[in-house]
Amino acid sequence: MTWRELRVIATRELAGAGIGPAETEARFIVERASGYDAGEWLEIADAAPSARAEQELREMVRRRVAGEPLQYVLGGWEFRGLDLFVDHRVLIPRPETEYVVEVALEEAERSGLRRSRRAVARVEPEAPAAVADIGTGSGAIALALEAELADVEVWASDVSEDALAVARANVAGCAATRVRIAAAGVWFEPLPERLRGSLRLIVSNPPYVAEHEVAELPREVAGHEPRGALVSGPSGTEAIERLLEDALQWLAPGASFVCEIAPHQAGTMIEHARALGYHEVMVRHDLTGRPRVLVARTG
Ligand SMILES: C[S@@+](CC[C@H](N)C(=O)[O-])C[C@H]1O[C@@H](n2cnc3c(N)ncnc32)[C@H](O)[C@@H]1O
């Protein structure tokens, strides 16, 4: 059988399982099994895969048909141009979070940090500014900040040892020399004490689903992604509130806390941040007009 024939079979099986973009997903799966990308399709379409590659493809289709998210099946996903390894130990990085990073970069520029262009060789300063990604999961936010900000050291923390193992693999895979993965621990606790009061930017995409909302999540999400990455507690805002409170001790003057939120949490989280004494508080709307990113600046 050729790759072309296998792709037709994969498309049919995925469509049969009710997977909407079956053709696109089949293409991703073929690319992963063959090791060739879309532009090289014509080179391999009429060739026969090795027995091992065919078996790998069939196993990926089986897992996807059984309901596993495509990203876990592929074992990787792209986030702001970075190829990240992902599996069931971490949340799948979302497009919403790519926007969180965009807002974070604007906040970083506002406070005097410089954006970098990946192709340009960077001069490492002796004491780079420190920024942090709290609840790093796969390391997506930390790695994007490292790639897109010049002259910073990015600290990443997570309570889950499993997630940190994935983050470490991604730091190695991206050859990210300025990302520091802290030991497993709760929010800011694993960060070195010397960083207290000096972080120029804190970014987080914490769990923000309420316990009573879990039943409304798509089965693909609730049944496969780690509960600890999704669910915060009875109200859904527990983690954001705690981060807002703790971040005040870790931010430098004039620095920003940037946090992904659910749209319905915007009003209460703005009020909470103001009550805590942040100097400026706002919510940024994503491209679809939904309030998705809380920004709280110190004075
Ligand atoms: C929504 S996921 C975000 C993962 C990643 N930053 C992203 O955007 O794709 C939330 C992460 O916070 C971590 N987390 C949950 N509770 C935590 C806590 N108390 N302290 C530190 N990290 C926590 C979870 O393990 C998970 O990796």
Side-chain angles (χ1 to χ4, degrees):
M1 211 172 276
T2 64
W3 283 110
R4 190 189 301 279
E5 288 164 328
L6 282 169
R7 193 164 92 172
V8 170
I9 292 171
T11 304
R12 200 167 52 225
E13 289 186 17
L14 295 172
I19 291 163
E23 210 172 322
T24 308
E25 293 206 6
R27 190 162 47 74
F28 276 126
I29 288 174
V30 166
E31 281 171 25
R32 183 58 56 140
S34 67
Y36 285 85
D37 66 28
E40 297 164 319
W41 171 242
L42 289 178
E43 286 174 36
I44 62 152
D46 296 312
S50 66
R52 189 163 165 195
E54 180 174 338
Q55 192 189 0
E56 199 187 327
L57 179 144
R58 289 185 185 276
E59 175 60 10
M60 284 195 273
V61 172
R62 186 198 62 72
R63 286 170 60 192
R64 185 67 187 115
V65 164
E68 208 176 320
L70 177 69
Q71 294 86 344
Y72 291 161
V73 169
L74 296 174
W77 203 239
E78 193 185 299
F79 184 83
R80 291 189 71 92
L82 299 169
D83 281 326
L84 300 182
F85 157 62
V86 291
D87 69 14
H88 66 278
R89 294 172 289 180
V90 292
L91 189 96
I92 296 161
R94 307 282 206 275
E96 294 89 308
T97 312
E98 296 190 308
Y99 179 64
V100 172
V101 172
E102 191 54 45
V103 171
L105 294 172
E106 287 172 21
E107 288 301 304
E109 279 190 303
R110 219 194 111 264
S111 73
L113 298 175
R114 287 190 306 124
R115 286 213 195 198
S116 65
R117 278 185 295 150
R118 273 168 224 178
V120 175
R122 289 183 289 250
V123 179
E124 305 284 343
E126 273 175 25
V131 305
D133 167 21
I134 306 297
T136 196
S138 62
I141 294 174
L143 287 161
L145 293 176
E146 198 250 12
E148 298 185 58
L149 283 177
D151 315 333
V152 296
E153 176 181 65
V154 187
W155 282 84
S157 77
D158 205 290
V159 75
S160 158
E161 279 286 2
D162 275 352
L164 289 177
V166 175
R168 279 190 207 101
N170 280 321
V171 168
C174 295
T177 55
R178 293 176 294 125
V179 174
R180 314 272 173 260
I181 306 275
V186 172
W187 305 133
F188 293 91
E189 281 174 17
L191 298 189
E193 200 48 38
R194 68 177 166 82
L195 296 178
R196 199 179 277 271
S198 74
L199 291 175
R200 299 279 295 276
L201 173 72
I202 297 171
V203 190
S204 184
N205 172 21
Y208 53 75
V209 174
E211 278 158 7
H212 66 88
E213 292 169 336
V214 173
E216 296 155 32
L217 292 175
R219 211 150 50 102
E220 212 172 287
V221 174
H224 292 274
E225 296 193 75
R227 189 180 162 93
L230 296 166
V231 182
S232 173
S235 77
T237 54
E238 293 85 351
I240 304 169
E241 287 169 23
R242 166 84 189 266
L243 285 165
L244 272 169
E245 285 155 29
D246 290 0
L248 277 172
Q249 298 166 30
W250 292 87
L251 285 168
S256 308
F257 172 61
V258 176
C259 185
E260 183 167 324
I261 57 170
H264 67 274
Q265 296 166 338
T268 49
M269 289 305 94
I270 287 179
E271 273 175 36
H272 189 70
R274 289 201 176 125
L276 287 169
Y278 280 93
H279 183 63
E280 284 175 291
V281 182
M282 69 200 74
V283 166
R284 300 282 305 271
H285 293 65
D286 66 14
L287 290 177
T288 65
R290 292 176 310 160
R292 288 299 255 145
V293 191
L294 178 71
V295 177
R297 298 176 184 149
T298 54

